Amino acid sequence: MSLQQFINEAISPWMQENGPDSDIVLSSRIRLARNFEQVPFPILANQEDLDHILDFFQQEYGQQSFGNYHQFELVRMNELPSIQKRVLVEKHLVSPHLVEHSNHGAALISKNEQVSVMVNEEDHIRIQLYFPGFQLEKALKQASEFDDWLEEKINYAFDEDRGYLTSCPTNVGTGMRASVMMHLPALVMTQQINRMIPAINQLGLVVRGIYGEGSEALGNIFQISNQITLGKSETDIVEDLKSVVQQLIEQERNARKRIMDQSGVQLEDKIFRSYGILSNSRIIESKEASKCLSDVRLGIDLGYIQRIPKTILNELMILTQPGFLQQYAQKNLSPEERDVLRASLIRERLKLENKYS
Amino acid sequence: MECQECHQRPATLHFTQVINGHKKEVHVCEKCAYEQGYMPQNSESFSLPNLLSGLFNFDSYPVSQSQDQTSSYEAPPKLQCEKCGLTYDEFTRIGKFGCAKCYKTFGEKLNPIFRRVHSGNSVHDGKVPKRMGGDIHVRKQIEEQRQKLNHLIRSEEFEEAAKVRDQIRMLEKQMKSEQGDGDQ
């Protein structure tokens, strides 16, 4: 398969579009946790119950379509080879938890991969909906409509006082986690981010690395999401998150401008050195690749580098993960082999752009 | 850094072991940590729920401290969910509910927990399911209108208050007729 073809198949279609404020906000996501009223939560449910839920989803929603999201397909985790499961995790379509802990896990995924529903994860149902760029409200509206569509056929576990009942007490109430993925290189360079994270935490929001809980902020990508799900409406939660993200966008833009004004040549040098590493190295670890990709992406946003599309960061951050590399190679690879393939894939990808310019 | 056991996954747990005065650095992934016995099986020691369960335990703490060590775990009558069988003790240990019924079974005990986790909140103020929400929508509306009515009366805007009162009556009627439908 050619690289271009692989990329086209590997990257979710929605990811290739540019959304509002996409120089800083990579994507917006809404996740809703829901459960069946009568069935124990997956942690305690018996196999029969969980199988029953899977069959229900297969029958009611497999090959169905909702709005613009075309067809849904139910993918059962126990039927997938491990590399493919890993690829789904790297695409953020399913969680590591679904892959590792559940023999009865499945994902209902829309054809354009904008909507995915994890079935039998920690909760029976976890709806996820993505939009490119900063579009939280739109994501909330669509997620809620999708939720209504599911609710036509499912009796949700709901309590007037406690709201949507979930397995973990941290999700009860709205069951909603709204999050935004942001690229904040200038706030990291100026070390402002260290001061901002505690302040953001105090507002009931959490800042994490790209792959969620416990992960590092690889490539200066941060995920900001709400912590509180009880006692506030969905709209209020999204409003709060929105206002913090707006401030971060503004601060990041200011910081970028300041660095350009004060040390433009040094910045340009840093960016082009990273570009040099990416286009020439023969062995590259994911940490270094993420760092360099972040620099190049900044270079594109600031106009230093032209002819390369912005989406290349999102694309390569995902493509150079272990699962994708192994899928590209069509075999299991040792970490050393992955570092070599990663370097060659990045080089080829950059060449691909130059060829068309 | 890769896991020193499987050499496949990245090492996510880093710690120093001291055995007979010999120090040893250990870098492993979570899976190998369980498998090689670095961490007790079926406990997610570093997970969020586990940290949470630390928070929940404040409830049973005074009991175990006031008694002698051997009998500390037998004490009070067991609170157990009749649907899924989860006990309150287990809940505080794993930090997860077993089913929707647990919320009722553990009832008021949960308020302090929710308040800790959700910045002082313990009552839902968001979306209500359309179909199975039943008359909750109407009841919420009535509640809101009543508050509005009180406010209007206090500020002596009686004309407006009368309108709101009529609206409340209409909503109450609507609720009654819906309940009637449900009984049939």
Side-chain angles (χ1 to χ4, degrees):
Chain A
M1 190 176 6
S2 78
L3 179 64
Q4 184 71 65
Q5 199 187 341
F6 178 70
I7 294 166
N8 289 345
E9 284 177 24
I11 300 300
S12 305
W14 67 266
M15 238 182 253
Q16 284 160 337
E17 292 163 31
N18 269 327
D21 299 308
S22 61
D23 54 333
I24 292 165
V25 180
L26 308 181
S27 64
S28 307
R29 182 196 73 155
I30 295 286
R31 189 214 71 196
L32 300 173
R34 301 288 186 254
N35 283 287
F36 283 76
E37 189 182 21
Q38 294 299 336
V39 187
F41 300 149
I43 188 176
L44 286 185
N46 59 36
Q47 306 218 335
E48 207 181 318
D49 282 336
L50 295 174
D51 277 338
H52 194 73
I53 290 177
L54 281 189
D55 292 341
F56 170 83
F57 267 90
Q58 178 76 65
Q59 277 162 23
E60 296 293 337
Y61 303 106
Q63 310 305 319
Q64 286 284 320
S65 54
F66 168 77
N68 298 324
Y69 301 125
H70 315 294
Q71 275 191 348
F72 284 95
E73 206 174 310
L74 191 78
V75 191
R76 290 176 193 243
M77 289 303 124
N78 60 7
E79 289 171 2
L80 280 191
S82 60
I83 292 182
Q84 283 201 20
K85 281 191 263 194
R86 188 151 190 179
V87 162
L88 289 181
V89 173
E90 290 168 6
K91 275 179 135 177
H92 299 275
L93 287 170
V94 306
S95 66
H97 182 97
L98 188 80
V99 169
E100 285 160 22
H101 294 272
S102 138
N103 295 322
H104 296 82
L108 190 72
I109 301 173
S110 74
K111 205 172 175 187
N112 68 353
E113 299 181 357
Q114 197 166 4
V115 187
S116 65
V117 182
M118 282 190 268
V119 183
N120 293 337
E121 208 243 23
E122 184 182 291
D123 295 298
H124 295 136
I125 303 168
R126 285 202 168 180
I127 302 164
Q128 287 195 109
L129 203 136
Y130 287 96
F131 270 92
F134 190 22
Q135 307 191 64
L136 270 180
E137 279 156 328
K138 211 165 164 187
L140 173 62
K141 188 168 171 282
Q142 303 236 340
S144 188
E145 284 170 11
F146 182 81
D147 177 46
D148 294 342
W149 183 63
L150 288 188
E151 197 225 324
E152 284 173 19
K153 288 177 184 157
I154 300 169
N155 285 340
Y156 282 154
F158 180 85
D159 178 90
E160 191 175 342
D161 290 334
R162 307 295 196 199
Y164 292 93
L165 306 179
T166 53
S167 174
C168 188
T170 54
N171 294 316
V172 69
T174 58
M176 183 181 82
R177 198 75 64 205
S179 56
V180 169
M181 206 75 95
M182 305 184 81
H183 183 224
L184 305 171
L187 290 180
V188 174
M189 271 182 236
T190 55
Q191 297 181 352
Q192 280 169 279
I193 195 78
N194 298 333
R195 277 189 291 112
M196 294 168 104
I197 290 176
I200 296 171
N201 290 341
Q202 281 186 339
L203 297 169
L205 302 174
V206 205
V207 185
R208 297 194 181 110
I210 180 170
Y211 284 97
E213 217 172 290
S215 68
E216 265 182 277
L218 274 183
N220 301 319
I221 296 179
F222 295 84
Q223 189 198 76
I224 326 274
S225 54
N226 65 301
Q227 174 92 297
I228 296 160
T229 55
L230 192 63
K232 274 187 183 183
S233 73
E234 288 81 354
T235 334
D236 287 345
I237 294 171
V238 162
E239 271 310 310
D240 291 353
L241 181 59
K242 236 181 82 182
S243 69
V244 167
V245 171
Q246 256 152 0
Q247 284 186 47
L248 279 169
I249 292 176
E250 206 175 306
Q251 300 282 347
E252 168 69 20
R253 285 198 184 128
N254 289 342
R256 286 181 186 186
K257 198 170 169 294
R258 226 174 309 130
I259 300 174
M260 266 174 100
D261 290 346
Q262 287 169 6
S263 36
V265 188
Q266 285 89 336
L267 181 65
E268 200 176 342
D269 179 68
K270 179 178 157 76
I271 287 165
F272 277 98
R273 274 170 190 274
S274 287
Y275 183 66
I277 291 174
L278 291 178
S279 37
N280 290 299
S281 68
R282 264 51 183 173
I283 299 169
I284 193 163
E285 282 186 27
S286 65
K287 215 171 182 173
E288 187 181 14
S290 311
K291 189 197 138 289
C292 293
L293 282 167
S294 167
D295 288 343
V296 167
R297 158 84 195 225
L298 181 64
I300 298 168
D301 287 334
L302 297 179
Y304 289 127
I305 297 177
Q306 280 147 10
R307 299 184 304 191
I308 299 179
K310 269 181 200 178
T311 46
I312 201 162
L313 172 76
N314 316 22
E315 197 182 274
L316 282 175
M317 283 293 285
I318 291 178
L319 279 175
T320 55
Q321 294 292 313
F324 268 107
L325 289 174
Q326 297 182 91
Q327 206 198 27
Y328 185 56
Q330 294 286 310
K331 60 173 184 191
N332 286 316
L333 299 171
S334 69
E336 292 76 20
E337 289 173 318
R338 293 203 298 257
D339 293 345
V340 173
L341 182 61
R342 181 178 296 114
S344 108
L345 197 141
I346 293 173
R347 283 199 322 270
E348 263 187 74
R349 179 72 188 94
L350 292 173
K351 241 187 264 160
L352 209 65
E353 285 311 325
N354 286 330
K355 203 167 67 189
Y356 292 125
S357 59
Chain B
M1 183 184 293
E2 71 180 52
C3 169
Q4 66 185 44
E5 294 290 341
C6 65
H7 302 287
Q8 296 276 326
R9 292 173 285 272
T12 49
L13 300 170
H14 311 273
F15 52 93
T16 312
Q17 256 188 343
V18 182
I19 301 171
N20 295 333
H22 293 288
K23 250 183 157 176
K24 188 182 153 200
E25 299 279 336
V26 179
H27 307 282
V28 287
C29 67
E30 206 166 331
K31 190 157 185 276
C32 291
Y34 289 129
E35 284 171 5
Q36 304 299 320
Y38 291 115
M39 284 204 295
Q41 282 285 345
N42 64 38
S43 107
E44 297 181 345
S45 306
F46 295 99
S47 65
L48 182 67
N50 211 270
L51 290 173
L52 284 173
S53 77
L55 288 177
F56 301 163
N57 273 323
F58 69 93
D59 191 64
S60 56
Y61 226 84
V63 180
S64 53
Q65 281 189 335
S66 64
Q67 295 173 355
D68 71 34
Q69 295 230 313
T70 48
S71 66
S72 60
Y73 287 109
E74 299 168 358
K78 250 193 192 164
L79 198 51
Q80 185 171 26
C81 178
E82 59 182 36
K83 168 111 184 152
C84 68
L86 188 79
T87 65
Y88 186 73
D89 280 352
E90 281 169 330
F91 165 67
T92 59
R93 209 172 54 240
I94 60 175
K96 302 267 168 84
F97 294 105
C99 70
K101 187 93 198 238
C102 292
Y103 281 85
K104 282 266 177 276
T105 314
F106 307 143
E108 297 294 307
K109 267 177 151 324
L110 300 174
N111 283 340
I113 295 170
F114 288 154
R115 279 200 286 267
R116 281 184 170 210
V117 180
H118 297 284
S119 289
N121 302 316
S122 61
V123 178
H124 178 56
D125 188 25
K127 187 175 175 178
V128 173
K130 278 212 167 85
R131 186 172 51 84
M132 59 157 305
D135 56 17
I136 300 176
H137 283 288
V138 188
R139 262 191 287 148
K140 280 210 160 168
Q141 260 177 292
I142 293 176
E143 218 171 277
E144 276 167 28
Q145 294 292 331
R146 283 216 178 105
Q147 277 174 10
K148 201 169 158 189
L149 181 65
N150 285 340
H151 185 76
L152 288 169
I153 291 173
R154 255 189 312 227
S155 55
E156 301 188 355
E157 293 173 56
F158 298 116
E159 211 169 307
E160 196 56 29
K163 280 187 206 157
V164 175
R165 182 201 59 204
D166 292 344
Q167 258 171 359
I168 295 175
R169 283 191 185 150
M170 206 180 68
L171 286 167
E172 282 173 340
K173 225 187 224 168
Q174 187 189 332
M175 201 165 75
K176 267 193 197 131
S177 74
E178 272 174 18
Q179 277 170 348
D181 289 346
D183 290 342
Q184 281 165 7

